[in-house]
Amino acid sequence: MTDPLVRIADALDRLAPPPPADADPLAHPAYVWDGTGLRAVRAFAPQPLDRLKGIDRNKAVLLANFTRLADGVAAQDALLWGARGTGKSALVKGVVGALQAEGQAIALIEVVTDRLDTLPRLFARIADAPRAFAIFLDDLGFDAAGEARALRSLLEGGAEARPANARIVVTSNRRHLMPRDIAEQDSAINPRDVIDDQLALADRFGLSLGFHALDQDGYLAIVAGYAAALGLTFEPADAIQWATQRGSRSGRVAWHYVTELAGRAGKPV
């Protein structure tokens, strides 16, 4: 008869199985870091860069920066900030995908943003890998300056700075990553110190790229690019009505509209 302790241990293993083995940092195009280990992304399918319209300068600058990272030379940490749905996250993934298509040794690692305290563990995991890594913090924002200090230290000046083969790229709706509220200065001994502390994190990024709301022509150009790539036709008035009903003109809204077109036409995307 099986030892009762063995049966109890087996039952506990079934209830709380050990975490899966860490993914090989050289084997996959993209990963997620959940604070405990690397997990390979099941299907990394970034948009081709030529489908991302209206952000040509940002596209060229970020591509050049990540090319330097992949080449093993000096590259900047990057902050992509601005309006919702304007292509920030799509550009980060698209640039990494474009470089991989050219045979460059670079991968994307998306970090769960509530586990930033575990970044030193990730850096230790990848520091010696013969590959470049874009450490992706998507839709990041802090409610208080104190929450941002750990990341600030990792970017520059701290004992646990990121390794030479990794650079951090952040997307945020906030230019300075933290809300700016003039009322918070009322209780400060030195109001200027409050402002400086808020700006200190954004200043750590060598590259800061702004993304702005689209006008109608820009929105229709994005719809046209997506539609042409998928062999779809559309009526501009219909595309404009779609955006009006959602109260926004953005690359994300354009993609949702084209997905709707594809569904109407019985096509996958």
Side-chain angles (χ1 to χ4, degrees):
M1 183 175 179
T2 307
D3 188 314
L5 291 178
V6 173
R7 293 203 307 273
I8 292 171
D10 289 343
L12 290 174
D13 284 341
R14 289 192 295 272
L15 289 172
D22 221 15
D24 183 347
L26 303 180
H28 304 281
Y31 304 83
V32 171
W33 173 258
D34 61 7
T36 61
L38 281 176
R39 309 287 176 255
V41 170
R42 184 176 58 82
F44 183 56
Q47 291 284 357
L49 288 181
D50 59 5
R51 292 190 192 175
L52 303 180
K53 307 293 185 181
I55 53 173
D56 291 345
R57 178 187 174 277
N58 288 349
K59 191 189 308 184
V61 171
L62 193 65
L63 180 61
N65 187 60
F66 278 7
T67 298
R68 291 195 292 270
L69 175 62
D71 287 341
V73 300
Q76 304 279 9
D77 299 298
L79 171 62
L80 282 61
W81 59 270
R84 293 178 294 109
T86 48
K88 301 182 294 293
S89 300
L91 179 58
V92 173
K93 296 172 185 176
V95 164
V96 172
L99 291 174
Q100 290 173 345
E102 295 174 0
Q104 294 273 29
I106 186 170
L108 185 80
I109 301 178
E110 184 167 358
V111 175
V112 178
T113 54
D114 64 356
R115 304 306 305 273
L116 298 185
D117 60 318
T118 68
L119 277 173
R121 195 181 311 159
L122 169 61
F123 293 158
R125 177 75 176 85
I126 63 175
D128 296 327
R131 192 182 199 186
F133 296 93
I135 310 301
F136 184 33
L137 310 181
D138 193 23
D139 196 21
L140 187 64
F142 299 100
D143 293 325
E147 299 173 4
R149 289 188 183 118
L151 178 58
R152 195 167 71 197
S153 178
L154 291 169
L155 284 165
E156 182 182 335
E160 294 285 354
R162 72 278 182 279
N165 64 334
R167 287 296 178 269
I168 294 173
V169 56
V170 169
T171 67
S172 177
N173 295 335
R174 304 168 179 171
R175 184 173 186 174
H176 301 296
L177 295 171
M178 285 175 284
R180 304 289 304 280
D181 185 355
I182 197 69
E184 70 187 354
Q185 300 177 39
D186 294 343
S187 62
I189 296 173
N190 185 344
R192 183 67 229 175
D193 290 345
V194 175
I195 297 173
D196 287 346
D197 202 32
Q198 288 184 337
L199 300 182
L201 177 56
D203 286 348
R204 292 296 196 275
F205 293 90
L207 193 59
S208 179
L209 302 174
F211 290 70
H212 307 288
L214 293 168
D215 60 17
Q216 183 168 291
D217 289 342
Y219 165 73
L220 289 175
I222 293 175
V223 171
Y226 283 143
L230 297 172
L232 300 168
T233 59
F234 73 100
E235 293 293 333
D238 188 43
I240 292 169
Q241 182 181 21
W242 179 273
T244 300
Q245 290 172 342
R246 283 146 187 83
S248 173
R249 290 190 297 257
S250 69
R252 181 178 298 143
V253 170
W255 176 248
H256 290 166
Y257 173 68
V258 171
T259 300
E260 173 68 15
L261 287 180
R264 294 174 191 170
K267 292 185 175 183
V269 295

